[in-house]
């Protein structure tokens, strides 16, 4: 398992992984826009010989707070520790950027993701009703928080 920071050069790789992981994937252009924003950073996870992308996390850390914008793990690589490793490395980068806490939103019905976040130190702090658009009707988002510098 290799985890490394990446920048704009990885936008197409991030978009490809996002496409494999989500019904409504983000484009390479969307990743480029986000990565150009203040405090944005991405971490890519790779494995194999030759190394193949397995997952990534995209975050930002500004004014003492960090936020996970998205995380994606290739479905074929899930349940092997990629998600937890990416979250932990992102928390470390955010700490180094002087963030005291990290936030995220996750679909209330995404129980696997909620378990991942709870096992990596996040707790529920709120609910956003109808936050995620969905063909079957808007879905609620659970807001979660992790203290980074205690």
């Amino acid at each position: 398992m290799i985890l490394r920071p990446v920048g704009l050069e990885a936008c197409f790789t991030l978009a490809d992984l996002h496409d494999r992981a989500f019904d409504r994937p983000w484009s390479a252009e969307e990743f480029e826009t986000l990565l150009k924003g203040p405090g944005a950073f991405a971490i890519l996870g790779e494995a194999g010989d030759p190394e193949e992308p397995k997952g990534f996390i995209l975050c930002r850390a500004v004014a003492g707070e960090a936020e996970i914008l998205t995380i994606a793990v290739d479905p074929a690589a899930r349940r092997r520790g990629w998600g937890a490793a990416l979250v932990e490395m992102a928390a470390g980068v955010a700490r180094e950027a002087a963030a005291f806490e990290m936030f995220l939103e996750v679909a209330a019905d995404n129980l696997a993701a909620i378990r991942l976040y709870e096992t990596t130190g996040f707790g529920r702090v709120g609910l956003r009703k109808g936050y995620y658009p969905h063909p079957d009707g808007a879905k609620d988002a659970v807001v979660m928080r992790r203290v980074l510098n205690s």
Side-chain angles (χ1 to χ4, degrees):
M1 183 179 287
I2 298 167
L3 302 176
R4 63 182 177 91
V6 292
L8 295 175
E9 79 288 349
C11 288
F12 286 98
T13 300
L14 303 181
D16 179 59
L17 278 165
H18 207 262
D19 183 47
R20 287 186 254 159
F22 291 98
D23 293 333
R24 197 326 239 158
W26 296 358
S27 68
E29 292 78 17
E30 288 171 299
F31 280 103
E32 181 178 357
T33 298
L34 288 166
L35 281 167
K36 286 180 177 178
F41 64 92
I43 299 164
L44 180 66
E46 300 170 304
D49 187 18
E51 293 168 4
E52 293 180 17
K54 301 297 182 186
F56 75 89
I57 190 166
L58 175 66
C59 304
R60 72 175 142 223
V62 178
E65 289 186 355
E67 177 184 14
I68 295 176
L69 300 172
T70 191
I71 181 173
V73 174
D74 185 322
R78 289 184 181 158
R79 304 188 60 83
R80 295 190 181 131
W82 286 102
L86 289 162
V87 168
E88 291 304 328
M89 186 167 177
V93 171
R95 243 185 249 105
E96 290 174 9
F100 295 99
E101 53 193 353
M102 181 175 258
F103 291 90
L104 62 89
E105 288 102 8
V106 59
D109 63 351
N110 190 343
L111 301 180
I114 291 171
R115 274 192 303 276
L116 164 68
Y117 297 129
E118 288 174 341
T119 61
T120 55
F122 285 84
R124 298 172 194 225
V125 294
L127 184 71
R128 292 188 175 174
K129 293 282 197 181
Y131 185 73
Y132 292 110
H134 192 274
D136 299 333
K139 298 196 180 239
D140 297 343
V142 175
V143 180
M144 302 184 81
R145 172 181 167 263
R146 174 178 168 175
V147 174
L148 298 176
N149 293 315
S150 54

